[in-house]
Amino acid sequence: MRIWRSLVGGARVRPWAVAAFALVGIVAIAGLAGAAEPHPWQLGMQPPATPIKDRIAAFHDELLVIICLITIFVLGLLLYVILRFNHRRNPVPSRTSHNTVIEILWTVVPVLILVIIAIPSFKLMYYEDRVPDAAMTIKVTGHQWYWSYEYPDQGNLTFDSKMIDEDKLQPGQKRLLDVDNRLVVPVDTNIRIQVAGTDVIHSWYIPSFGVQEYAVVGRLNEAWMRVEHPGVYYGECNQICGVNHAFMPIAVQAVSKDDFQRWLGDAKKKFAHDGTQDGALALAAAPAAVPPGAN
Ligand SMILES: [Cu+2]
């Protein structure tokens, strides 16, 4: 309260303090209102778009409180030692060594803090891991250097998604983030995401979904998502996978269920003769390439 009073100057409100608080408020709101993409000078994480990310953000905030309390406590101890036991104020130091009570405390207290953190952490991990009643499945395959998407329960629709080169960007498209064919998903639908690779390890990562899954050759990793609001959400491969690692972005467009059905109809025609089946074939053949005992 004293800090607040010194900032606002008691009864007389200081204009600079009001301006500073207003600025912080505007930046915070602008951060929340922005689309799910990185921004210059962004503070904090992208706004959550799935229940998983909601929980990750809440857990992050809880940890931040614990970390701040620990840091303030350690800083206080350090300052106390520096001021109280410096050479001038304490010329003849005590020769004390070992104190059983303190040694037990500084072992047990951190262990308790870790246990307190571990319980919600494990709950969150299992929540991220288990797909709750998936209404549909999407298979994501990482290639050097693009992604391909399959909708096995929607008539096996398959297409590639490649970054739009800088010289071909249309107005409004985002450099290094927009792709030719976005992954389109319906909102409010539990979607099982299966991720695999065809060459090296990639990682399908969308910050605002809280989803990050390794794309490994010969393995099928699983994640899930439920996008809460329509919009475009961006992500990137976040496993260093070769020279064009930075040029295989992910763009997901979440639309209403009706719009999704309409898109599905169009997409089946658009990608009907697209020769993108080799990705699926390569994946099916991949386990044979793994040397015996490698798993
Ligand atoms: Cu990659």
Side-chain angles (χ1 to χ4, degrees), residues 4-279:
W4 171 254
R5 245 178 259 134
S6 73
L7 281 173
V8 297
R12 201 163 44 83
V13 177
R14 290 179 187 168
W16 65 264
V18 174
F21 279 105
L23 189 66
V24 169
I26 289 166
V27 168
I29 291 164
L32 285 174
E37 65 198 50
H39 289 283
W41 297 98
Q42 177 184 338
L43 285 178
M45 292 188 282
Q46 291 179 23
T50 63
I52 288 181
K53 185 64 182 196
D54 281 334
R55 294 183 188 209
I56 292 176
F59 184 48
H60 166 268
D61 294 346
E62 286 165 33
L63 289 185
L64 195 63
V65 172
I66 296 175
I67 291 168
C68 287
L69 290 176
I70 293 172
T71 313
I72 290 168
F73 174 68
V74 173
L75 179 70
L77 283 182
L78 273 175
L79 287 175
Y80 178 69
V81 170
I82 291 167
L83 297 174
R84 174 66 188 82
F85 296 103
N86 62 34
H87 183 57
R88 240 177 303 151
R89 290 193 63 188
N90 190 43
V92 188
S94 137
R95 299 239 160 226
T96 312
S97 152
H98 292 81
N99 182 308
T100 312
V101 176
I102 290 178
E103 282 167 20
I104 288 173
L105 275 180
W106 76 40
T107 309
V108 171
V109 172
V111 167
L112 285 179
I113 294 172
L114 287 180
V115 169
I116 290 168
I117 291 174
I119 293 167
S121 168
F122 275 91
K123 273 168 87 173
L124 180 58
M125 263 173 55
Y126 285 111
Y127 181 72
E128 290 171 16
D129 191 48
R130 286 197 193 129
V131 188
D133 298 324
M136 62 183 281
T137 300
I138 291 174
K139 197 165 105 191
V140 176
T141 308
H143 308 265
Q144 281 178 317
W145 287 271
Y146 62 96
W147 297 98
S148 62
Y149 299 118
E150 288 170 56
Y151 294 70
D153 43 14
Q154 315 288 330
N156 240 344
L157 171 67
T158 303
F159 58 89
D160 294 340
S161 179
K162 293 176 180 168
M163 189 190 78
I164 300 173
D165 288 330
E166 212 171 327
D167 52 348
K168 296 193 184 88
L169 280 177
Q170 303 292 317
Q173 287 183 329
K174 293 176 206 315
R175 181 181 158 268
L176 299 182
L177 285 179
D178 260 308
V179 297
D180 55 358
N181 300 311
R182 289 172 175 163
L183 174 68
V184 178
V185 297
V187 292
D188 291 329
T189 307
N190 290 348
I191 302 172
R192 177 190 291 114
I193 308 283
Q194 295 185 328
V195 186
T198 52
D199 32 49
V200 298
I201 302 177
H202 302 270
S203 176
W204 200 74
Y205 173 50
I206 302 186
S208 56
F209 291 178
V211 170
Q212 190 227 312
E213 205 60 56
Y214 285 113
V216 182
V217 182
R219 267 180 186 267
L220 206 58
N221 286 335
E222 200 169 83
W224 72 278
M225 64 187 197
R226 179 189 179 86
V227 188
E228 289 164 324
H229 309 288
V232 182
Y233 304 89
Y234 293 97
E236 284 165 333
C237 176
N238 76 337
Q239 175 70 37
I240 298 201
C241 59
V243 287
N244 287 340
H245 162 64
F247 310 109
M248 50 181 298
I250 299 154
V252 180
Q253 186 162 5
V255 297
S256 70
K257 289 176 185 175
D258 290 342
D259 285 346
F260 177 73
Q261 289 306 328
R262 268 193 287 279
W263 171 82
L264 208 55
D266 295 344
K268 278 177 187 166
K269 284 177 219 148
K270 184 181 171 191
F271 299 113
H273 304 292
D274 201 299
T276 47
Q277 288 299 328
D278 30 324

